[in-house]
């Protein structure tokens, strides 16, 4: 695997720091909102990625999460609700020399923007999508979203929701996603590590961030993410490493028949050799899908880079077609075009 | 066979319509006919009349496909109200098109196609060729199918394959009727069927057979003679409005140095622009077929932010889907060209028919105070120029521009005098300079009120734009009431200022008088022709045809002051006239409207104009 970020994007000639990406705007998220930690992870990781600061670009839709572009000092567009993926597609296709990042919410990307979300992924346009999944509509003050767990009481579901939520990972892989990762807002180290991986990936990278909305869906991820039991209820996947987790590092995932199974090392004759080794780079999404779908209480929730497969990107293919056409096409300028085909002179 | 000596009829214009079943090749026949007319030095306009269904049942009215060509030695403004010659390849096409033939017109029909089954399918209870119902026409019953088959028999071609060349028999007859050289059509066969020599010979044989046959026909003993048109010298080609639009955009991209980005979703009758631009990657055009119209425009907005000349193309229903995003482009003050090839509405409406009923939508169809520049093309050929100007205005004034064309302009074709790109007006987008210490995202040029275009990647210009209201000059998010008022006013003033940069409105006819006929967009041809007809009778009538709609040219009020009556003609229920009542309330307006999915005919307009002149 290449360890280099995208080579078509110009690298910074000077060492950048966090301060290079801090904007002068007041951050207006609620105190205690998970979004603050995400912002600081971005400011930490961008200098490490190494591109010129002018080559970063943020695009967003509408929602609390979508205020993000105002809070980082890069080029940016705060768009309209649901359309960030389409705006970002236009940005990246028009200028492939930009490192394009997108901030979006669960409603923004999977309700109103569901169509654009699946299509940017299907096309594999090189955009890094940070999906703030707080399982609620934050900005509009607490209506259920496409990821709100079934039965949740919210402002618009006084008796509990009666719809099946999306698992974003499943949706991404169903749309033929080439990169999917999951992180927790409260674990910044993993967040920066994964964002760096996302930046390196050529193609659409989706990073689902389990984000806490302290006001309207507080502790929605708590059963899984709370420090008390996080180690037992989540598993951090790293390429090439066995899928071992738990406070005591004695639990693991193995493949039994066509299903994943949680086992305890040292019990019933299970050894480390029985445990699956994570291959994030394999093309076949079968195991990745199973991993993305793992849910508490039957399984630990998978964190880290679940899938990072190499496929041609749409934006590269556009450039290829254009340079081929420029080299081989007969029409070199608009005057050629106007005079092509049947023309005649009237004197 | 004995050749009859031809009588010659001098005409300054002739309208021919080819009609037949979808499979009969009428579009190709019409195109070849018009290409030959152009080479013969005539002016022309064409319009294809496709069936709405892709594969309608054979020989039914729903499956009729037509192509109308108006050729002349005079300036051809329209595709013609009614035709002088109707070529009908089957009963259904005759039945549905007879109303478009002038009384006394020449009807050329394939009598072999009028069998019982086909007559029944088209709804005829008896054969119109035999019952005297066509006695008011110059009916030419030609055994086209039979003679086509015979013509290719020596080449060993079976009947089924032979029938595919029937249209060339009809074309051959037309070449006799106009006494034209068929060389260009033979050249076309050679090029088109390069690897199928048998098809080339078959088509040539059939065309020649048709020509020979016509020479022997009593009914075709008189041939039309249309002398060369007085056309400004230059290099010409035939062009449809949609292709002209695509090329105008490419020209603007080249001239401005801004790469073209198109985000679009297919919709009739705008799809050809998308198809055409997709062919021109060698000119650097990036064409993104989006998942829907919203993605079409929002991807274009993203591309515009990065410095592309961004375009989205659509038709009525698609424009509705783009409304919210147009507001975003207004707010972010980014250049964007939105092409709306209008069709019949509302909803899915009449996709293959034409109307001017999206004017309100273009002017007002957004939330909030969201003014945009609106420009309308008025001929298939000048779609090139107005697409170019739409792009120029968008970039120089940093704001979205809606270009209105319509199905008639888009699909219709006309002679187009080929310009040189270097002769087109310069386009100078206000691009911000790297590290400009004075750069502020919403600082404006006092002449245009446009902000600067700061392109990502440029040093020292990092900034954010977005749909939330922005603080004047600095561009930070602002909810300050007075700032909002100021920004609303500035965006409006910026669009109004465009009036300083567009040409004054022109008039055809006297600068003052009894009646001013007003029209806009795609109706130029019939309205102008009707006005000229009445002017020729010595009556006091003038014509103002508008291409710049928002803002209107500065001299509009002065023009309106100079006539006793103003009559506004348009293909909707009165959208432009009401817009004039709103913007120029001091005047009284009369109106003539039609919403049938059909263009104006010259005759209906002359009637209305004459009535208006007579009314006290
Ligand atoms: C066209 C449109 N419809 C509805 C809204 C109202 N709206 C704004 S944000 C939002 C939901 C946001 O939820 P999410 O995407 O999860 O973002 P969060 O605020 O939770 O970060 C809604 C419904 C809007 N701004 N625009
Ligand atoms: S409402 Fe929720 S998501 Fe929005 S800023 Fe407040 S805590 Fe964050
Ligand atoms: Mg949310």
């Amino acid at each position: 695997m290449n360890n280099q970020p995208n080579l078509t994007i110009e690298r910074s000639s000077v060492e950048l720091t966090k301060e290079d990406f801090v904007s002068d705007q007041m951050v207006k998220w609620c105190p205690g909102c998970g979004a603050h930690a995400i912002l600081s992870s971005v400011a930490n990781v961008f200098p490490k990625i190494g591109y010129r600061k002018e080559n970063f670009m943020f695009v967003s839709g509408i929602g609390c999460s979508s205020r993000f572009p105002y809070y980082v000092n890069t080029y940016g567009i705060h768009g309209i609700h649901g359309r960030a993926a389409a705006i970002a597609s236009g940005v990246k296709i028009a200028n492939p020399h930009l490192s394009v990042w997108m901030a979006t919410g669960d409603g923004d990307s999977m309700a109103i923007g569901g169509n654009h979300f699946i299509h940017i992924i299907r096309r594999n346009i090189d955009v890094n999508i940070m999906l703030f999944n707080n399982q609620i509509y934050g900005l509009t003050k607490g209506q259920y979203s496409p990821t709100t767990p079934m039965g949740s009481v919210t402002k618009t579901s006084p008796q509990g929701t009666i719809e099946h939520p999306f698992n974003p990972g499943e949706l991404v892989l169903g749309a033929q996603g080439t990169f999917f990762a999951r992180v927790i807002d409260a674990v910044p180290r993993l967040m920066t590590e994964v964002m760096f991986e996302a930046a390196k990936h050529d193609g659409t990278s989706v990073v689902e961030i389990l984000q806490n909305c302290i006001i309207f869906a507080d502790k929605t991820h708590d059963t899984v993410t709370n420090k008390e039991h996080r180690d037992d209820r989540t598993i951090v996947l790293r390429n090439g490493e066995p899928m071992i987790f738990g406070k005591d590092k004695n639990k693991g995932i193995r493949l039994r028949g066509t299903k994943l199974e949680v086992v305890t090392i040292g019990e019933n004759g299970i050894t480390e050799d029985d445990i699956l080794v994570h291959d994030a780079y394999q093309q076949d999404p079968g195991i990745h899908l199973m991993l993305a779908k793992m849910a508490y209480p039957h399984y630990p929730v998978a964190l880290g880079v679940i899938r990072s497969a190499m496929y041609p990107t749409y934006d590269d293919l556009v450039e290829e077609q254009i340079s081929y056409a420029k080299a081989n096409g007969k029409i070199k300028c608009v005057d050629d075009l106007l005079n092509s085909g049947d023309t005649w002179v009237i004197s | 066979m004995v050749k009859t000596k031809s009588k010659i009829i001098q005409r300054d214009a002739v309208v021919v319509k080819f009609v037949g079943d979808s499979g009969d090749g009428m579009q190709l026949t019409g195109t070849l006919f018009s290409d030959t007319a152009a080479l013969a030095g005539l002016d022309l306009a064409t319009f294809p009349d496709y069936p709405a269904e892709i594969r309608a049942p054979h020989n039914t009215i729903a499956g009729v496909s037509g192509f109308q060509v108006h050729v002349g030695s005079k300036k051809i403004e329209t595709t013609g109200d009614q035709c002088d010659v109707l070529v009908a390849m089957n009963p259904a096409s005759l039945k549905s098109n007879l109303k478009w033939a002038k009384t006394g017109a020449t009807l050329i029909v394939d009598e072999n196609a009028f069998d019982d089954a086909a007559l029944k399918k088209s709804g005829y209870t008896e054969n119109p060729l035999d019952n005297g119902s066509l006695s008011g026409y110059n009916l030419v019953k030609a055994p086209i199918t039979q003679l086509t088959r015979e013509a290719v028999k020596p080449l060993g071609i079976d009947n089924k394959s032979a029938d595919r060349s029937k249209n060339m028999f009809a074309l051959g007859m037309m070449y006799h009727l106009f006494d034209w050289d068929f060389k260009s059509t033979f050249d076309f066969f050679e090029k088109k069927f390069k690897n199928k020599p048998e098809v080339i010979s078959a088509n040539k044989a059939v065309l020649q057979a048709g020509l020979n046959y016509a020479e022997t026909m009593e009914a075709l003993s008189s041939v039309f003679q249309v002398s060369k048109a007085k056309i400004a010298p230059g290099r010409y080609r035939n062009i449809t409005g949609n292709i002209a639009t695509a090329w105008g955009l490419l020209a603007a991209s080249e001239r401005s140095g801004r790469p073209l980005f198109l985000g679009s979703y297919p919709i009739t009758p705008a799809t050809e622009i998308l198809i055409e631009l997709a062919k021109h990657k060698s000119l650097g055009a990036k064409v993104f077929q989006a998942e829907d119209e919203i993605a079409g425009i929002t991807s274009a907005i993203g591309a515009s932010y990065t410095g592309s000349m961004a375009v989205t193309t659509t038709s009525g229903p698609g424009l509705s889907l783009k409304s919210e995003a147009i507001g975003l482009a207004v707010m972010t003050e980014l250049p964007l060209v939105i092409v709306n090839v209008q069709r019949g509405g509302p909803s899915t409406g009449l996709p293959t028919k034409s109307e001017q009923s999206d004017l309100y939508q273009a002017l007002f169809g957004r939330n909030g105070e969201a003014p945009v520049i609106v420009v309308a093309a008025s001929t298939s050929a000048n779609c090139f120029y107005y697409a170019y100007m739409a792009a120029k205005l968008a970039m120089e004034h940093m704001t979205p521009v809606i270009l209105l064309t319509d199905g008639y302009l888009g699909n219709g074709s006309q002679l187009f005098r080929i310009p040189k790109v270097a002769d087109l007006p310069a386009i100078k987008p206000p691009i911000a300079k790297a590290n400009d210490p004075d750069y502020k995202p919403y600082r404006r040029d006092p002449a245009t009120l446009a902000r600067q275009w700061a392109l990502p990647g440029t040093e020292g210009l990092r900034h954010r734009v977005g749909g939330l209201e922005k603080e004047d000059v600095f561009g930070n998010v602002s909810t300050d009431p007075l700032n909002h008022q100021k920004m609303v006013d500035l965006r409006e003033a910026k669009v109004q200022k465009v009036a300083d940069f567009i040409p004054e409105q022109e008039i055809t006819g006297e600068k003052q008088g009894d009646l001013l006929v007003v029209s806009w967009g795609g109706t130029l041809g019939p309205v102008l022709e009707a006005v000229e007809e009445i002017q020729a009778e010595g009556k006091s009538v003038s014509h103002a045809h508008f291409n710049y709609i928002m803002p209107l040219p500065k001299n509009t009020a002065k023009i309106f002051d100079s006539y006793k009556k103003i009559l506004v003609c348009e293909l909707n229920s009165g959208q432009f006239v009401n817009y004039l009542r709103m913007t120029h309330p001091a005047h009284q307006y009369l109106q003539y409207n039609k919403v049938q999915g059909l263009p104006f005919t010259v005759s209906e307009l002359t009637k209305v104009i004459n009535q208006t002149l007579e009314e006290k």
Side-chain angles (χ1 to χ4, degrees):
Chain A
M1 282 316 301
N2 81 29
N3 236 340
Q4 278 282 322
N6 193 318
L7 295 174
T8 63
I9 304 174
E10 203 181 325
R11 302 188 64 76
S12 180
S13 53
V14 291
E15 192 87 358
L16 298 175
T17 68
K18 188 172 177 165
E19 278 60 49
D20 285 303
F21 294 97
V22 174
S23 95
D24 58 357
Q25 295 300 294
M26 200 192 7
V27 178
K28 290 186 182 157
W29 289 312
C30 308
C33 173
H36 294 285
I38 304 172
L39 178 60
S40 108
S41 291
V42 163
N44 279 324
V45 80
F46 271 27
K48 296 201 183 87
I49 295 172
Y51 302 140
R52 278 172 80 233
K53 56 187 182 217
E54 290 82 8
N55 287 53
F56 284 100
M57 162 105 192
F58 251 100
V59 177
S60 68
I62 297 288
C64 293
S65 35
S66 290
R67 294 294 170 93
F68 206 93
Y70 294 121
Y71 306 147
V72 264
N73 190 7
T74 65
Y75 285 94
I77 302 179
H78 177 219
I80 46 178
H81 197 26
R83 316 304 169 196
I87 298 172
S89 298
V91 167
K92 184 69 190 182
I93 296 167
N95 187 349
H97 304 295
L98 299 175
S99 173
V100 183
W101 295 72
M102 180 178 133
T104 182
D106 38 322
D108 194 59
S109 61
M110 282 176 286
I112 189 167
N115 200 25
H116 313 307
F117 185 65
I118 57 175
H119 286 285
I120 190 174
I121 293 168
R122 174 178 70 83
R123 296 186 178 110
N124 201 29
I125 299 177
D126 192 6
V127 170
N128 308 299
I129 300 178
M130 303 193 322
L131 169 50
F132 293 48
N133 185 3
N134 55 10
Q135 301 186 337
I136 197 80
Y137 289 176
L139 191 72
T140 47
K141 304 197 165 76
Q143 305 79 20
Y144 63 86
S145 89
T147 57
T148 304
M150 177 98 143
S152 304
V153 171
T154 72
K155 282 197 185 151
T156 44
S157 55
Q159 293 172 279
T161 60
I162 49 173
E163 10 182 293
H164 299 279
F166 272 139
N167 171 332
E170 217 179 330
L171 191 62
V172 169
L173 296 188
Q176 303 167 48
T178 57
F179 185 105
F180 178 74
R182 194 184 283 126
V183 297
I184 302 173
D185 57 3
V187 186
R189 255 217 354 227
L190 182 63
M191 212 161 16
T192 44
E193 178 188 324
V194 162
M195 282 179 193
F196 191 80
E197 291 300 315
K200 259 172 35 187
H201 176 73
D202 276 339
T204 312
S205 331
V206 179
V207 180
E208 181 196 3
I209 305 164
L210 305 182
Q211 177 226 344
N212 193 42
C213 167
I214 196 168
I215 307 293
F216 298 111
D218 193 21
K219 301 194 168 37
T220 185
H221 303 294
D222 207 55
T223 14
V224 175
T225 59
N226 189 298
K227 241 195 188 139
E228 290 290 296
H229 39 241
R230 188 190 293 154
D231 291 344
D232 286 324
R233 297 180 184 177
T234 63
I235 176 169
V236 178
L237 299 173
R238 286 201 171 83
N239 186 57
E241 292 183 14
M243 300 182 192
I244 293 175
F245 70 104
K247 232 181 229 126
D248 305 325
K249 302 247 182 286
N250 65 342
K251 284 191 233 159
I253 310 282
R254 74 165 177 181
L255 189 63
R256 183 112 188 262
T258 58
K259 287 200 170 108
L260 298 180
E261 187 186 45
V262 176
V263 291
T264 308
I265 297 165
E267 275 179 17
N268 302 321
I270 303 273
T271 67
E272 226 187 282
D273 290 347
D274 295 312
I275 305 301
L276 272 176
V277 172
H278 185 42
D279 180 0
Y281 300 132
Q282 68 180 326
Q283 304 278 97
D284 187 329
I287 303 270
H288 298 155
L289 184 62
M290 288 194 254
L291 292 168
K293 283 177 73 170
M294 291 198 304
Y296 181 78
H298 298 296
Y299 295 102
V301 169
L303 302 176
V305 178
I306 294 170
R307 174 173 175 76
S308 177
M310 281 253 273
Y311 280 89
T313 69
Y314 183 99
D315 34 302
D316 281 347
L317 294 174
V318 168
E319 294 307 307
E320 244 176 71
Q321 288 196 340
I322 298 231
S323 38
Y324 179 86
K326 281 188 171 167
N328 298 287
K330 283 203 194 76
I331 291 170
K332 303 289 184 199
C333 63
V334 176
D335 284 320
D336 289 351
L337 175 64
L338 293 171
N339 289 285
S340 64
D342 282 341
T343 67
W344 58 91
V345 173
I346 292 177
S347 43
Chain B
M1 280 193 260
V2 193
K3 285 195 178 182
T4 48
K5 185 121 172 54
S6 304
K7 212 168 63 203
I8 290 174
I9 311 171
Q10 291 280 353
R11 292 288 293 273
D12 62 358
V14 183
V15 179
V16 177
K17 190 165 188 187
F18 298 92
V19 294
D21 200 51
S22 301
D24 286 339
M26 293 297 97
Q27 304 303 322
L28 176 63
T29 315
T31 308
L32 291 173
F33 178 83
S34 41
D35 287 352
T36 304
L39 283 175
L42 308 193
D43 196 7
L44 63 92
T46 77
F47 187 72
D49 190 2
Y50 306 106
E53 275 67 40
I54 305 291
R55 289 269 178 277
H58 183 53
N59 274 338
T60 58
I61 302 259
V64 172
S65 169
F67 196 97
Q68 185 156 320
V69 189
H70 192 181
V71 297
S73 57
K74 62 170 191 173
K75 176 124 191 61
I76 299 300
E77 317 271 12
T78 71
T79 51
D81 290 4
Q82 287 189 303
C83 57
D84 302 280
V85 182
L86 180 69
V87 179
M89 302 299 284
N90 71 352
S93 61
L94 178 67
K95 186 152 203 266
S96 55
N97 281 282
L98 193 61
K99 58 176 176 290
W100 301 117
K102 291 181 185 161
T103 27
T106 296
L107 308 181
I108 299 177
V109 296
D110 179 6
E111 64 174 0
N112 301 136
F114 284 65
D115 58 23
D116 289 347
L119 285 166
K120 204 165 152 222
K121 268 201 196 160
S122 59
Y124 276 122
T125 47
E126 45 185 317
N127 192 338
L129 306 185
D130 300 335
N131 66 1
S133 62
L134 301 175
S135 58
Y137 302 91
N138 177 26
L139 179 62
V140 180
K141 293 190 277 185
I144 295 180
T145 305
Q146 186 200 331
L147 294 179
T148 300
R149 289 175 182 179
E150 275 170 25
V152 295
K153 208 170 262 162
L155 300 169
I157 289 169
D158 64 81
N159 287 349
K160 207 170 151 220
S161 313
D163 288 355
R164 269 187 240 134
S165 302
K166 278 191 302 197
N167 54 337
M168 291 304 126
F169 192 93
L171 188 61
M173 292 180 72
M174 297 308 295
Y175 286 173
H176 161 72
L177 195 59
F178 283 83
D179 196 16
W180 284 341
D181 185 21
F182 49 72
K183 186 177 169 305
S184 71
T185 303
F186 275 22
D187 290 348
F188 168 84
F189 295 153
E190 304 266 356
K191 231 168 49 200
K192 170 95 186 186
F193 306 112
K194 210 162 46 198
N195 302 318
K196 296 183 188 157
E198 69 289 355
V199 181
I200 300 177
S201 342
N203 278 311
K204 284 183 174 176
V206 172
L207 192 127
Q208 189 72 56
L211 203 139
N212 295 345
Y213 172 78
E215 281 181 352
T216 63
M217 283 290 292
E218 186 75 36
L220 294 178
S221 60
S222 43
V223 303
F224 291 116
Q225 194 181 58
V226 188
S227 50
K228 283 193 182 185
K230 279 186 215 66
I231 300 173
R235 184 170 280 280
Y236 281 81
R237 62 179 309 127
N238 214 338
I239 201 161
T240 67
N242 280 338
I243 304 293
T245 302
W247 291 8
L249 294 168
L250 286 166
S253 162
E254 185 173 295
R255 199 81 165 83
S256 63
R258 298 283 100 219
L260 191 150
F261 178 96
L262 172 70
S264 181
Y265 188 77
I267 182 168
T268 305
T271 311
E272 281 75 28
I273 307 174
L274 166 62
I275 294 174
E276 179 61 21
L277 286 171
K279 290 179 192 160
H280 298 302
K281 295 196 175 66
S282 71
L283 297 174
K286 288 184 177 170
V287 174
F288 178 58
Q289 183 181 314
E291 55 273 21
D292 60 24
E293 279 85 352
I294 300 173
I297 186 170
T298 48
S299 62
I301 290 172
S304 173
Y305 182 75
T306 71
S308 287
M309 188 195 108
V311 182
T312 188
T313 51
T314 192
S315 184
L319 188 64
S320 306
L321 284 172
K322 294 178 195 293
S323 296
E324 186 195 11
I326 298 174
L328 177 65
V330 167
M331 200 67 161
T332 51
E333 306 197 33
L334 286 169
L336 175 66
V337 178
I338 303 135
V339 181
N340 178 14
V341 186
Q342 296 171 97
R343 65 190 218 179
S347 187
T348 307
L350 304 172
T352 58
K353 302 288 174 198
S354 196
E355 253 169 42
Q356 298 184 296
S357 48
D358 292 342
L359 180 62
Y360 281 167
Q361 186 178 208
L363 287 167
F364 310 121
R366 287 164 293 285
N367 64 304
E369 297 287 347
V372 301
I373 300 171
V374 180
V375 175
S378 50
T379 67
S380 295
N382 79 18
C383 285
F384 177 88
Y385 176 75
Y386 287 103
Y388 185 92
M389 290 308 289
K392 175 175 158 74
L393 292 174
M395 287 187 277
E396 292 182 345
H397 298 263
M398 294 293 287
T399 192
V401 177
I402 295 179
L403 171 67
L404 294 174
T405 71
D406 61 48
Y408 275 98
L409 297 184
N411 286 326
S413 82
Q414 251 189 334
L415 291 193
F416 173 57
R417 184 157 173 237
I418 300 170
K420 286 200 179 62
V421 173
D423 295 340
L424 297 167
I427 301 178
K428 296 187 174 135
I431 294 178
K433 293 205 175 58
N435 295 318
D436 177 354
D438 294 330
Y439 173 74
K440 295 279 177 287
Y442 282 75
R443 170 167 289 157
R444 292 166 199 283
D445 174 339
T448 57
L449 295 180
R451 66 182 199 93
Q452 284 186 302
W453 204 357
L455 313 187
T458 316
E459 226 175 277
L461 303 179
R462 286 176 296 166
H463 70 286
R464 273 72 49 198
V465 297
L468 287 171
E469 182 63 280
K470 296 292 181 292
E471 181 190 1
D472 186 27
V473 182
F474 300 98
N476 296 318
V477 174
S478 165
T479 53
D480 174 25
L482 294 180
N483 176 72
H484 179 49
Q485 179 77 59
K486 185 167 186 193
M487 292 300 274
V488 165
D489 295 346
L490 275 168
R491 288 185 290 260
E492 171 70 21
K494 177 176 71 169
V495 169
Q496 292 300 341
K497 264 203 178 294
V498 170
D500 296 343
F501 298 86
I502 56 173
E504 292 218 318
Q505 181 59 43
E506 285 179 11
I507 293 292
T508 309
E510 295 298 325
K511 296 257 178 303
Q512 63 211 40
D514 295 341
L515 176 63
L516 178 72
V517 177
V518 170
S519 53
W520 68 276
T523 55
L524 171 66
V527 180
L528 181 60
E529 205 169 306
V531 169
E532 282 174 345
E533 242 181 80
I534 297 172
Q535 284 172 342
E537 293 165 15
K539 296 180 188 162
S540 169
V541 53
S542 299
H543 181 206
H545 188 85
F546 287 81
N547 293 101
Y548 293 96
I549 310 291
M550 175 72 182
L552 289 163
K554 281 206 241 175
N555 59 335
T556 302
K558 216 171 101 205
I559 291 173
F560 289 172
D561 283 337
S562 315
Y563 299 89
K564 289 188 196 133
K565 287 182 189 169
I566 302 170
L567 171 67
V568 184
C569 303
E570 50 186 327
L571 297 172
N572 55 39
S573 300
Q575 300 188 10
F576 190 60
V577 74
N578 284 334
Y579 172 61
L580 292 176
R581 288 181 180 126
M582 183 184 105
T583 53
H584 292 76
H587 304 89
Q588 292 279 324
Y589 303 91
L590 300 164
Q591 66 195 87
Y592 178 67
N593 303 103
K594 177 163 103 171
V595 202
Q596 301 173 1
L598 295 172
F600 283 131
T601 61
V602 176
S603 57
E604 75 182 303
L605 290 170
T606 47
K607 212 168 112 193
V608 174
I609 295 167
N610 274 321
Q611 269 169 12
T612 312
L613 281 166
E614 280 155 25
E615 274 159 21
K616 283 277 141 14

